[in-house]
Amino acid sequence: MYKKFLNLGLQPLANSYLQKNNLKKKEKNFKLEIGIDMQTLLVSIKNTVPKQKMFNDKYPYNSSASKTMKKSFFDLAQKIKKNYKHNYLLEIGSNDGAFLKNFNKKNIVGVEPCKNLAVITKKLKYKTYPNYWNCNLARKITKLNKADIIYSANTLSHIKNLNEIFKAIKLALSDDGILILEDPSLLECLKKVAYDQFYCEHIYVFSTIALRNILKKFSLEIFHIENLSTHGGSNRYYIKRSQSKKNKVKSSVKKEILKELNFGINKFRTYKDFENKVKKSKKKLLNLLKQIKNKNFNIIGYGATAKSCTVLNYCKIDSKIIDYFYDTTKDKINKYLPGSKILVKKYQKLNYKKYNYVFLGAWNFKSEIFKKEKSYINKGGRFITHIPYPKII
Ligand code: TMP
């Protein structure tokens, strides 16, 4: 049974940045409600948006834009090369090749439905299929050779039909092959009151317990888990076919499940608590921003993330409160954030004399950003975050 626990109101499509001449046009909105399937414990958004509307030839997110992500992919590639013998590797959701590029072109294949991104790796001569992942594609790609490793980061949580996904993965994976999945962790999301993990593209936020329940249906099993700090707290799951004798199940799996159970991930009450914390977070953030504005300080935003879209629209924050956002992504610059219609400007090093407060939209890159803006902070410039509760840092 699916039980709703949070309503984040009407939201636009998170990555649909607006051109100036479209500002007056009515945007497509959808009701962002979140619930849990009490049988599998899978947390998902209730209403979904057709994938073609989100993942097309204009997808504005590049993994390579962040040093943190590039390092995370590099480190994993080294680990795979050292620990897991493989003939060939397949990546589902290869984006602009931030992971792919760590491997020899002969050993890796990418699948990326956003055509503006798929062309980037194609140009670099990496075999890239500009398609959505499904059984037909899996058969086509692995007709001659099955993949020894399938990797997918921040992609499966974006795909509605998990049955098709896992069926296709089973078609493509060799008998003793390994599936490595990486997605935001529900436990971290609940602990950090990171309600902005929910937006149109994030159909699911997985817990280990829910993922294990789903994988069981496909005779797949998690044998190791790593906790990552990327994307606001993620888990990297190492998965094998249940019947494969290779790769013994490690203690990390039991440990993670215990952590989740201790937090009450299997109890509906935990989700109602989360709802209350989210409501409080909204009130507190609005109060904080208003107090700053009342003192005649100006506020800008840093990192026009998809997550920010949820926060801005849920809290009804617009350009009367945040003057504009800085972002490094070319495709977002000189456009407006959906819903809130706040302008996104090309990133410039923060200048304490121009603005005293900066709302940290890209809170998931806090350490990278704080390092970069050391001088702004040292001069007295302040960041505002809503994670794990609204405060000035
Ligand atoms: P994400 O949270 O969906 O990964 O998006 C991160 C956004 O933040 C992306 O648009 C790039 C932006 N960003 C900056 O503008 N400056 C930075 O230093 C970092 C790390 C990210």
Side-chain angles (χ1 to χ4, degrees), residues 17 60-61 65-68 199 231 302-307 326-329 332 347 361-362 364-365 368-369 372:
Y17 296 82
Y61 177 76
S66 144
K67 274 189 198 157
T68 312
Y199 53 92
H231 285 286
Y302 198 116
T305 58
K307 291 184 188 69
Y326 271 157
D327 200 286
T328 49
T329 312
K332 297 182 184 177
Y347 165 74
N364 44 320
F365 292 113
E368 183 176 338
I369 291 171
K372 207 154 84 179

Side-chain angles (χ1 to χ4, degrees), residues 169-296:
I169 284 175
K170 282 199 77 178
L171 285 171
L173 191 66
S174 67
D175 287 349
D176 284 325
I178 299 171
L179 165 66
I180 305 174
L181 297 183
E182 203 173 301
D183 276 290
S185 137
L186 180 68
L187 180 62
E188 289 304 309
C189 164
L190 298 177
K191 272 191 190 165
K192 295 189 170 112
V193 198
Y195 61 91
D196 50 355
Q197 282 290 8
F198 296 102
Y199 53 92
C200 55
E201 290 176 15
H202 281 187
I203 297 174
Y204 306 105
V205 178
F206 298 116
S207 63
T208 306
I209 297 177
L211 188 64
R212 192 179 60 159
N213 287 337
I214 295 159
L215 291 169
K216 218 181 256 170
K217 289 196 248 168
F218 300 92
S219 307
L220 293 167
E221 184 179 18
I222 305 170
F223 67 88
H224 180 43
I225 299 177
E226 284 166 357
N227 299 134
L228 309 175
S229 60
T230 51
H231 285 286
S234 300
N235 280 339
R236 182 180 285 150
Y237 304 96
Y238 293 76
I239 297 157
K240 61 172 185 134
R241 291 179 191 269
S242 310
Q243 70 267 34
S244 167
K245 298 268 180 297
K246 252 187 163 179
N247 299 304
K248 293 242 150 45
V249 180
K250 295 190 181 174
S251 58
S252 55
V253 181
K254 203 170 166 188
K255 214 165 120 191
E256 190 63 24
I257 288 175
L258 273 178
K259 268 197 313 194
E260 291 184 358
L261 289 174
N262 283 339
F263 193 80
I265 254 175
N266 54 339
K267 297 195 179 85
F268 192 66
R269 202 182 56 224
T270 305
Y271 299 89
K272 292 308 281 178
D273 281 352
F274 178 68
E275 182 198 28
N276 285 332
K277 286 181 195 158
V278 172
K279 285 180 178 164
K280 277 190 195 143
S281 174
K282 173 182 179 172
K283 258 195 201 154
K284 214 165 169 180
L285 179 63
L286 282 172
N287 277 340
L288 185 64
L289 295 173
K290 276 179 192 153
Q291 272 172 26
I292 294 173
K293 288 303 274 185
N294 286 343
K295 287 182 190 154
N296 281 329

Side-chain angles (χ1 to χ4, degrees), residues 49-66:
V49 171
K51 57 181 187 274
Q52 294 81 356
K53 288 216 157 93
M54 303 185 281
F55 311 112
N56 42 43
D57 55 354
K58 291 187 191 66
Y59 194 65
Y61 177 76
N62 289 57
S63 315
S64 301
S66 144

